[in-house]
Amino acid sequence: MDWLTGTKIPVGRTARQFFNWLQDNGAGVFDGISLAMEGLIGGVLWLLQTPHPLVIVALLVALTWALQRSWKTCLFVALGFLFILNQGYWRETTESLTLVLASCVVCMGLGVPIGIAAAHRPRLYTAMRPVLDLMQTLPPFVYLIPAIVFFGIGMVPGLIATVIFVLPAPIRLTHLGIASTPTPLLEAAQAFGATPSQTLWKVELPSALPQIMAGLNQTIMLSLSMVVIAALVGADGLGVPVVRALNRVDTALGFESGFIIVVLAIILDRMLRMERRE
């Protein structure tokens, strides 16, 4: 086996050289991205933490009613957030929600247009698939290394790593929704003289809305799954007590904070779930 292992393909060394080159030549770009992400995070955090917690809970329950029209779901959401308040994790919850909402803004803002472009250009999607596979299967801890190098410690590198991990979901689901638009609908739009933009806005996007909303749901769930990993690079939120419990081998703290993450995930899933109503 010496002939196979004697000459090692320089994967790691090439990656290090590439990131060193980016660090030397892209400092201005990374500073701009960092400022934009800090502004987004600061704005969302201010909106969630400035009002009284019960005001935020009431607004979230109202949003749930607007989306679901179910008093049972609204009651569940209200009880879930009241339980979080009872356990004393409101600040950590708002910090994690900030990371999730900021990730949603970035991922949906990038993922939906990219998914639409990929659905209209099959060759583009074919070229993108290996990259999307790499983004989803590469361990998230690997993303943290260049994120720390480029953006330091704090919420921003956690957000960047989350976006890289989550972005393939809205791209794939948007592509699926647009590509699955029924052919008779497209033919009818063309027969009535619809332009490509009119076909997109009035036919393809309404038809793909369930898949796009599923992409939003997956974006939220995957972002929430990153809160513990993001805590390792200094991001605030519910991941901090989990990491603290791991360091102290504190079963009570670990189960308590972990259960809060589960409750928050279920709440967000019920709020945004789209089901067919008869």
Side-chain angles (χ1 to χ4, degrees):
M1 295 293 292
D2 292 341
W3 62 272
L4 183 60
T5 59
T7 304
K8 183 178 179 180
I9 299 175
V11 176
R13 187 171 69 239
T14 302
R16 183 177 65 245
Q17 292 173 350
F18 175 69
F19 287 123
N20 288 340
W21 181 85
L22 286 178
Q23 188 177 13
D24 294 336
N25 296 277
V29 175
F30 294 123
D31 289 343
I33 294 174
S34 180
L35 288 174
M37 295 298 100
E38 286 176 357
L40 177 61
I41 292 169
V44 176
L45 198 59
W46 182 85
L47 288 174
L48 292 176
Q49 291 187 345
T50 302
H52 192 277
L54 293 180
V55 174
I56 299 297
V57 172
L59 290 175
L60 292 173
V61 171
L63 176 62
T64 304
W65 174 256
L67 294 174
Q68 302 297 335
R69 298 293 178 180
S70 168
W71 68 268
K72 293 181 181 179
T73 305
C74 292
L75 178 61
F76 175 79
V77 170
L79 292 177
F81 280 116
L82 291 177
F83 173 75
I84 292 173
L85 281 168
N86 172 263
Q87 295 296 300
Y89 282 89
W90 180 252
R91 172 171 290 276
E92 290 84 356
T93 299
T94 56
E95 291 166 346
S96 292
L97 277 175
T98 297
L99 182 64
V100 170
L101 293 176
S103 174
C104 286
V105 170
V106 177
C107 289
M108 297 304 291
L110 294 175
V112 173
I114 294 174
I116 293 172
H120 290 159
R121 298 169 179 81
R123 290 185 179 179
L124 173 62
Y125 186 66
T126 301
M128 288 170 49
R129 285 178 62 184
V131 180
L132 298 178
D133 292 339
L134 177 67
M135 292 168 68
Q136 285 190 306
T137 56
L138 196 66
F141 290 99
V142 178
Y143 301 142
L144 296 179
I145 301 171
I148 294 172
V149 172
F150 296 142
F151 302 104
I153 299 296
M155 292 286 281
V156 173
L159 175 59
I160 297 298
T162 300
V163 168
I164 295 174
F165 177 69
V166 174
L167 186 58
I171 293 177
R172 290 183 187 275
L173 286 167
T174 301
H175 168 269
L176 174 64
I178 298 296
S180 301
T181 304
T183 302
L185 289 180
L186 297 175
E187 292 176 347
Q190 294 172 359
F192 281 99
T195 63
S197 62
Q198 289 174 331
T199 302
L200 172 64
W201 287 100
K202 296 184 178 182
V203 178
E204 292 179 327
L205 284 177
S207 176
L209 184 59
Q211 284 81 9
I212 294 174
M213 288 301 296
L216 175 60
N217 185 282
Q218 287 299 300
T219 298
I220 291 173
M221 294 298 105
L222 292 172
S223 300
L224 196 55
S225 72
M226 287 287 291
V227 297
V228 177
I229 297 176
L232 298 176
V233 293
D236 297 324
L238 292 169
V240 174
V242 174
V243 174
R244 188 180 298 125
L246 179 63
N247 292 333
R248 297 177 181 176
V249 197
D250 189 336
T251 306
L253 179 61
F255 183 82
E256 185 179 82
S257 53
F259 189 69
I260 295 296
I261 295 175
V262 173
V263 171
L264 181 60
I266 296 174
I267 289 173
L268 295 176
D269 177 70
R270 297 300 184 271
M271 286 178 62
L272 297 169
R273 176 178 295 179
M274 288 192 66
E275 296 178 346
R276 292 186 181 274
R277 300 181 181 89
E278 300 298 336

